[in-house]
C-alpha cells in the first residue's frame, strides 16, 4: 500500500517518495483530453449498488463528486438525476470537465480540505480518487461535509486479473516499473486501506463489467495512468510498441475486450 499524501507542489515535497507521489497526483492535468477520451466509465450496475447500499435514490440527492477529473463519474451521477457539485484540484482536469459537462458546477479543491460548507451533502463520491488523499484529513472532512445519515462512497475500476491476457499485460507493466515496486502499492480495497483510523464502517461490493474497444483506445487508456504519465517519453514509447505487438497477437482483429471489477466501498454516517 502506498502512503497517501496530499497533492502538494512536487517541488515542495520533502522526500523523493513524496515528490513522486505528488507528481503522479498532478500528472493527469497534462493528459486530460487523453484521459477523457480513453478511460473507461462505470457501469449502470455500480449505481444500482450505490443506491442499494446508501438506502436512497440518486435522483434529487445532493452529491459532491470529489477528484472528479474530466467528469466520467459525475456524468453518470448527473444522468441519474443527482444534484451534483464536482470538486477537482487540477487545472487541466477541471478545464476538460467544464468542456464536457458545462452545465455541472466544478470547484477547485481537494479531499483533504473540501471547499464546502458543513452538513449539507447526502452523498460524497470518490471515483478512482480517494487514494490520492490523506485519509487522516479526508475522513474528518467527509464527516464534516455530509449531513447526518449521509454516505461516503469510494470506487475503483480494477483490472480483472483472472483474465489471462490481462494478467500477462499486468506482469509486463510490473516488470517495466520494477524500480517502483508497484506490487507494494496494490490495494486491498478494504476498510483498512480506505480508512486506517477505523472511524468509518465500510460495506464492500464488487461489480464486474467489460467493454470492447479498439487497440489504440486500450493503449491510450493504459498510457493515461499516472505511472506512465510520469515515465520518460522514450521508456513509455518502447513499452507501448512492445505492448502493441503482444496485444495484436492476442486480438488479431484489433479490438480488445477489457474486463473490470469495480470495487465499491460505502460508509453511512449516523442519523444524529
Ligand atoms: C484517476 S483520476 C479520477 C477522475 C474521475 N473521478 C474519474 O472517475 O475518471 C484522479 C483524480 O483525482 C484528483 N486528485 C489528486 N489529488 C487529489 C486529492 N487530494 N483529493 C481529491 N482529488 C485528487 C486528480 O487531479 C484526478 O483528477
Amino acid at each position: 500500500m502506498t502512503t497517501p499524501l496530499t497533492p502538494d507542489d512536487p517541488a515542495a515535497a520533502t522526500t523523493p517518495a513524496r515528490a513522486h507521489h505528488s507528481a503522479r497526483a498532478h500528472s493527469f492535468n497534462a493528459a486530460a483530453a487523453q484521459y477523457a477520451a480513453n478511460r473507461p466509465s462505470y457501469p449502470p450496475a455500480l449505481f444500482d449498488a450505490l443506491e442499494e447500499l446508501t438506502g436512497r435514490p440518486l435522483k434529487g440527492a445532493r452529491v459532491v463528486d470529489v477528484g472528479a477529473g474530466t467528469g466520467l463519474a459525475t456524468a453518470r451521477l448527473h444522468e441519474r438525476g443527482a444534484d451534483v457539485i464536482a470538486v477537482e484540484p487540477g487545472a487541466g482536469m477541471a478545464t476538460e470537465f467544464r468542456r464536457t459537462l458545462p452545465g455541472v458546477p466544478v470547484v477547485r479543491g481537494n479531499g483533504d480540505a473540501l471547499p464546502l460548507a458543513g452538513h449539507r451533502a447526502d452523498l460524497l463520491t470518490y471515483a478512482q480518487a480517494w487514494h490520492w488523499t490523506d485519509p487522516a484529513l479526508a475522513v474528518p472532512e467527509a464527516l464534516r461535509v455530509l449531513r447526518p445519515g449521509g454516505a461516503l462512497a469510494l470506487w475503483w475500476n480494477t483490472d480483472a486479473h483472472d483474465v489471462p491476457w490481462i494478467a500477462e499485460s499486468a506482469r509486463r507493466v510490473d516488470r517495466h516499473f520494477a524500480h517502483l515496486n508497484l506490487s507494494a502499492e496494490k490495494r486491498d480495497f478494504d476498510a483498512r486501506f480506505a480508512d486506517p483510523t477505523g472511524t468509518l464502517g465500510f460495506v464492500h461490493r464488487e461489480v464486474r463489467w467489460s467493454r470492447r474497444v479498439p487497440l489504440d483506445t486500450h493503449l491510450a487508456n493504459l498510457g493515461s495512468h499516472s505511472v506512465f504519465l510520469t515515465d520518460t517519453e522514450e521508456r513509455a514509447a518502447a513499452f507501448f510498441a512492445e505492448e502493441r505487438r503482444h496485444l495484436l497477437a492476442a486480438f488479431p482483429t484489433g479490438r480488445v475486450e477489457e474486463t473490470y471489477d469495480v470495487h465499491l466501498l460505502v460508509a453511512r454516517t449516523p442519523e444524529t
Side-chain angles (χ1 to χ4, degrees):
M1 191 177 85
T2 50
T3 306
L5 302 167
T6 49
D8 300 319
D9 179 353
T14 49
T15 66
R18 288 180 82 94
H20 182 67
H21 184 95
S22 182
R24 282 176 60 184
H26 279 81
S27 66
F28 304 104
N29 292 297
Q34 175 185 350
Y35 189 106
N38 300 290
R39 278 287 184 113
S41 181
Y42 306 100
L46 172 69
F47 299 95
D48 295 341
L50 186 57
E51 289 183 330
E52 182 196 324
L53 296 177
T54 58
R56 67 153 299 157
L58 283 165
K59 191 172 171 54
R62 281 174 301 199
V63 179
V64 181
D65 186 29
V66 189
T70 64
L72 288 176
T74 320
R76 301 286 88 81
L77 294 162
H78 180 64
E79 279 164 14
R80 289 234 171 185
D83 179 8
V84 200
I85 293 179
V87 175
E88 167 54 43
M93 294 299 254
T95 300
E96 187 67 25
F97 183 103
R98 291 193 179 99
R99 201 181 61 72
T100 51
L101 288 175
V104 180
V106 54
V107 291
R108 298 284 300 283
N110 69 68
D112 300 338
L114 289 168
L116 299 166
H119 313 301
R120 284 197 42 80
D122 297 312
L123 176 62
L124 212 57
T125 56
Y126 280 81
Q128 221 100 336
W130 182 257
H131 55 287
W132 297 121
T133 70
D134 176 352
L137 300 172
V139 170
E141 273 299 83
L143 293 172
R144 178 183 68 77
V145 163
L146 285 167
R147 67 163 173 79
L152 172 66
L154 323 176
W155 66 83
W156 291 266
N157 259 330
T158 65
D159 294 327
H161 283 199
D162 57 325
V163 176
W165 79 264
I166 293 177
E168 284 160 24
S169 177
R171 277 194 289 276
R172 291 191 290 272
V173 172
D174 281 352
R175 274 201 299 277
H176 182 73
F177 292 112
H179 59 294
L180 297 180
N181 193 14
L182 290 185
S183 55
E185 68 175 61
K186 294 276 187 292
R187 291 177 283 273
D188 293 335
F189 299 102
D190 64 8
R192 229 172 343 116
F193 156 69
D195 175 19
T197 67
T199 312
L200 301 169
F202 280 111
V203 177
H204 181 205
R205 185 69 66 82
E206 248 180 85
V207 177
R208 176 160 287 203
W209 71 289
S210 62
R211 66 172 191 168
R212 288 185 78 79
V213 292
L215 176 56
D216 282 344
T217 302
H218 171 73
L219 294 173
N221 165 20
L222 188 56
S224 75
H225 284 78
S226 61
V227 270
F228 283 109
L229 295 174
T230 50
D231 201 7
T232 66
E233 264 180 48
E234 295 73 19
R235 273 176 45 83
F239 177 87
F240 282 108
E242 186 65 23
E243 191 61 11
R244 178 181 293 280
R245 274 195 289 280
H246 283 293
L247 293 181
L248 269 176
F251 297 97
T253 63
R255 286 190 75 77
V256 175
E257 168 115 12
E258 297 176 341
T259 304
Y260 295 102
D261 290 318
V262 190
H263 289 263
L264 169 67
L265 293 174
V266 176
R268 291 168 75 165
T269 58
E271 289 289 342
T272 51

